[in-house]
Amino acid sequence: MSFPAAPREGRAKRRRLSLGAGRSSRPEVPARRPRRAWVAAASGRRGGVGAAPFDAPLARTAVAMSSVSPIQIPSRLPLLLTHEGVLLPGSTMRTSVDSARNLQLVRSRLLKGTSLQSTILGVIPNTPDPASDAQDLPPLHRIGTAALAVQVVGSNWPKPHYTLLITGLCRFQIVQVLKEKPYPVAEVEQLDRLEELPNACKTGEGLELSEQFYKYAVQLVEMLDMSVPAVAKLRRLLDSLPREALPDILTSIIRTSNKEKLQILDAVSLEERFKMTIPLLVRQIEGLKLLQKTRKHKQDDDKRVIAIRPIRRLTHIPGTLEDEAEDEDNDDVVMLEKKIRASSMPEQAHKVCVKEMKRLKKMPQSMPEYALTRNYLELMVELPWNKSTTDRLDIRAARILLDNDHYAMEKLKKRVLEYLAVRQLKNNLKGPILCFVGPPGVGKTSVGRSVAKTLGREFHRIALGGVCDQSDIRGHRRTYVGSMPGRIINGLKTVGVNNPVFLLDEVDKLGKSLQGDPAAALLEVLDPEQNHNFTDHYLNVAFDLSQVLFIATANTTATIPPALLDRMEIIQVPGYTQEEKIEIAHRHLIPKQLEQHGLTPQQVQIPQATTLDIITRYTREAGVRSLDRKFGAICRAVAVKVAEGQRKEAKLDGSDATAEGEGCREHVLEDTKAESLSDTTDLALPPEMPILIDFHALKDILGPPMYEMEVSERLSQPGVAIGLAWTPLGGEIMFVEASRMDGEGQLTLTGQLGDVMKESAHLAISWLRSNAKKYHLTNASGSFDLLDNTDIHLHFPAGAVTKDGPSAGVTIVTCLASLFSGRLVRSDVAMTGEITLRGLVLPVGGIKDKVLAAHRAGLKTIIIPQRNEKDLEEIPGNVRHDLSFVTASCLDEVLNAAFDGGFTVKTRPGLLNSKL
């Protein structure tokens, strides 16, 4: 039977209504155009889809059992597996289709079919979720309901799915499943035929049960407010519908569980159906009586509202928002309300939660704002407003723990112990904002974790590297789709206490974009005078962060905004000396790598001399991260040897023989020895344990040394000097090379230099030209004008690395003085400092990192500005003992210390560049 063609205007109207006009998601397929006569009769008005949402299901259920001619379903039906409810004959249900089988059924039968028979499906209640897309067909319920698909709505978001509006026609029994793929098809037997059902009500017991059921049904309806149109229509339907149709219809309307509906579906006998439905009606009547009794004290104006609420519960439509899921949601809302009452949140936050809870109760669950409001309330309840941990304020235990976890770092550990001591004396101390600044690999992050362990607090790390949206810190406002709280509030929810240790990692690598500046958003978080009233955009309620101990880490303070830097206490974490690295390696790194690679100290030994070779020849870094990787490479190589040795032992012992050959193992070995030794050359004995890692083994595993002592080679000719530079990765030595050639007096600078270093080079040239006669410096033609017919090329090697900073002035002057005097700079001297045009040496920063870099390179003498002498106190004692420091206040002192025999001259001409 084909659908009659509809006029274009009406067809377009129904298509829009079926698809849900105004939705943001674009449907995948248009809704199937239902038969006009059916929809008009089912909805009670012409057009059908525009019927009132409250009374349309009642009218459709009535039509399904009375207006339709006697039903004869096909003997073969495609099966629709649903887990959202139980469809009874005469009831209407809206169900979602998202499993592979059901999707294929809709596309093949409903969207391509042209007859009424193609829209009849067999609906089988399925306990497991059919969306699981299991390969095998799950066990099917024996009894199902033949249904007519009235409407199909499709969508592509968030994934392809359909929503079906189906109306139950009659029961059927599965005789045999004919096929399972792509969707199940079964041979069925129709159970309740409408032309046979009235005869069941004419017998003695059947007639008595029918009258009793009708009496309870009328009593139930009359307890409701008849002024409500839906109640009046339901009362008229009780008289117009046949008695045999009432049990299924009323069971689908009143509040019943899926289990009870399944029992009604399985009741093939009409008498049994009456017997099972009457107790459900009695239970509903008693519930209404109790409800009316408890609400008698209400005002007369509320009686209409009291009558409407029961009818909404009575007119429960399976598959809609008022199914069993609503009961669970209501229970969750009640539990959420109890949690709000029992929570210890501040008064302002409690008022906001109470207000939002009232809105949530009045809000339909279909509204998108319902889920947003509920998520907001759940977050408010889960936040640790007043929940905190008790600090372990034992200074001695804290000192021992810090010393065991970290070697060296005396300044940092001293500051942590000071915080603990003050905390012990004053309990309401606000959490300080500490910022550990140092090169990578020195243990800044692990120190933060140790601080939390020392205090007995929860620890949470927030990685800020690359964050360029201020909403990551302050959260999104709830007016936006997908809004969520910021990382600070999320961290508090994760740890569950309001006084954790928050590690803001890589705070110097924050970005900035059109979405705001996250560094500016951190100002309120990291200000001890403001963070007690921190307001996240998502919460829109103040949260106290004053008890949180914030620890930030950075490689440099140059990229941190000054306003943010002002709110933090900077603690420098410099690189390690060679001795400290050796201790760290044998205390922490080597045991950790052995454990990670399944080795023991009895299998591999790494002497301290080998560790020193790795430090000096394979890793030149401020931290120990590369050193740790080198030990990992050694352990992997040793693990291969140990595994091979175990395998060879097993072969020699015959322990890998099969069950058959185990009995003749000794005999096989004797034959092998007797024949030849050639077969056992591959079965060499395993290496002796422990395996000792010396320099030769180190070279085999790690390859040739990466860093050789090239200082003396680089300084074998005039025009080369060694400077000291600071980088975010720690201190480094830097060579400066100069050469001269015939030209027009131009100065060429190469090596990717910044503006500051270019200015230092020009300053150095100007100072040397002004003092050329004093030091008897001449160009190639013997003129005291150093740039007369002479070009100078100044080069800083490693041109791929950007270099800038105010500390290369003295190095450039020494390099050029060596070039014009023809004398060699001492190969064991490095220097740092900035100059003025009058020859004064200005102080610079990063002295400790630069000194450690010179010590790693094997240099012996370091020239520093005199005003930096106070910074030598931070240098470890063993490093100061190995080095000789020269403090200079002017360039004369620098040149005298940089050259053997000094750089002063006699006044008598002819004896140039000799010491007085």
Side-chain angles (χ1 to χ4, degrees), residues 449-492:
R449 188 175 287 106
S450 296
V451 170
K453 184 179 178 182
T454 302
L455 291 171
R457 293 192 183 188
E458 298 292 333
F459 177 79
H460 185 72
R461 175 179 173 268
I462 300 176
L464 297 179
V467 173
C468 58
D469 188 352
Q470 62 100 16
S471 297
D472 279 2
I473 306 299
R474 300 190 66 96
H476 304 79
R477 299 191 184 275
R478 283 188 289 144
T479 54
Y480 299 109
V481 177
S483 59
M484 61 182 67
R487 298 194 181 191
I488 303 298
I489 297 299
N490 264 332
L492 290 170

Side-chain angles (χ1 to χ4, degrees), residues 200-403:
C201 297
K202 295 179 180 179
T203 61
E205 185 179 4
L207 181 60
E208 182 180 353
L209 290 173
S210 175
E211 293 295 335
Q212 185 180 7
F213 181 88
Y214 179 75
K215 180 184 70 173
Y216 283 121
V218 172
Q219 180 182 355
L220 178 64
V221 174
E222 288 179 349
M223 294 180 66
L224 306 176
D225 189 357
M226 298 302 294
S227 61
V228 179
V231 178
K233 178 175 284 190
L234 180 60
R235 181 64 183 85
R236 292 192 300 270
L237 290 176
L238 289 180
D239 295 331
S240 60
L241 288 176
R243 299 283 178 88
E244 60 272 11
L246 291 180
D248 289 330
I249 294 176
L250 286 181
T251 301
S252 63
I253 291 176
I254 63 176
R255 294 186 70 86
T256 53
S257 64
N258 278 344
K259 184 178 180 180
E260 293 171 336
K261 290 177 185 175
L262 201 59
Q263 293 174 354
I264 300 297
L265 179 65
D266 293 341
V268 179
S269 171
L270 185 59
E271 295 180 359
E272 182 181 358
R273 209 177 303 159
F274 276 125
K275 291 179 182 179
M276 298 177 65
T277 313
I278 288 174
L280 302 179
L281 294 179
V282 174
R283 183 182 67 186
Q284 191 70 54
I285 292 171
E286 294 297 327
L288 287 177
K289 287 181 181 180
L290 181 61
L291 184 63
Q292 291 176 355
K293 184 182 298 184
T294 56
R295 295 186 177 180
K296 279 184 179 180
H297 63 282
K298 295 259 182 160
Q299 299 179 357
D300 294 339
D301 295 338
D302 296 335
K303 289 183 179 179
R304 183 178 179 84
V305 179
I306 295 173
I308 290 176
R309 287 176 181 168
I311 187 65
R312 287 182 177 174
R313 295 179 181 176
L314 284 171
T315 55
H316 170 67
I317 306 168
T320 63
L321 294 173
E322 295 179 355
D323 56 4
E324 286 72 15
E326 183 183 7
D327 296 338
E328 298 178 1
D329 289 339
N330 290 336
D331 293 341
D332 291 342
V333 170
V334 172
M335 292 298 296
L336 187 59
E337 189 174 11
K338 290 181 180 178
K339 290 180 180 178
I340 293 175
R341 293 197 195 100
S343 65
S344 57
M345 63 180 65
E347 183 179 357
Q348 181 183 3
H350 189 267
K351 288 181 180 179
V352 173
C353 288
V354 171
K355 181 180 179 181
E356 292 294 330
M357 178 57 70
K358 291 180 180 178
R359 293 182 62 247
L360 184 68
K361 290 181 178 179
K362 298 176 183 178
M363 198 182 303
Q365 297 181 12
S366 58
M367 290 184 62
E369 195 176 353
Y370 180 88
L372 297 177
T373 305
R374 182 169 170 178
N375 291 339
Y376 173 76
L377 291 175
E378 289 176 350
L379 175 65
M380 293 288 284
V381 170
E382 293 176 2
L383 284 179
W385 299 94
N386 289 314
K387 184 180 179 182
S388 60
T389 56
T390 303
D391 290 347
R392 293 199 301 262
L393 302 176
D394 190 345
I395 304 299
R396 290 186 178 179
R399 188 190 301 274
I400 294 174
L401 180 61
L402 288 175
D403 289 339

Side-chain angles (χ1 to χ4, degrees), residues 813-881:
V813 169
T814 304
C815 174
L816 293 174
S818 172
L819 175 68
F820 288 112
S821 66
R823 299 181 59 185
L824 298 179
V825 180
R826 290 172 55 186
S827 60
D828 61 343
V829 174
M831 60 200 73
T832 183
E834 191 51 274
I835 62 173
T836 68
L837 196 58
R838 298 184 178 273
L840 300 179
V841 179
L842 301 180
V844 293
I847 293 297
K848 182 176 181 180
D849 291 319
K850 295 175 180 179
V851 170
L852 294 180
H855 186 259
R856 287 196 298 269
L859 301 176
K860 299 300 181 182
T861 303
I862 298 178
I863 304 173
I864 63 173
Q866 189 174 20
R867 291 167 61 182
N868 282 120
E869 188 175 4
K870 61 182 184 299
D871 297 325
L872 297 179
E873 297 179 1
E874 299 180 1
I875 309 299
N878 61 327
V879 176
R880 289 202 305 266
H881 182 268

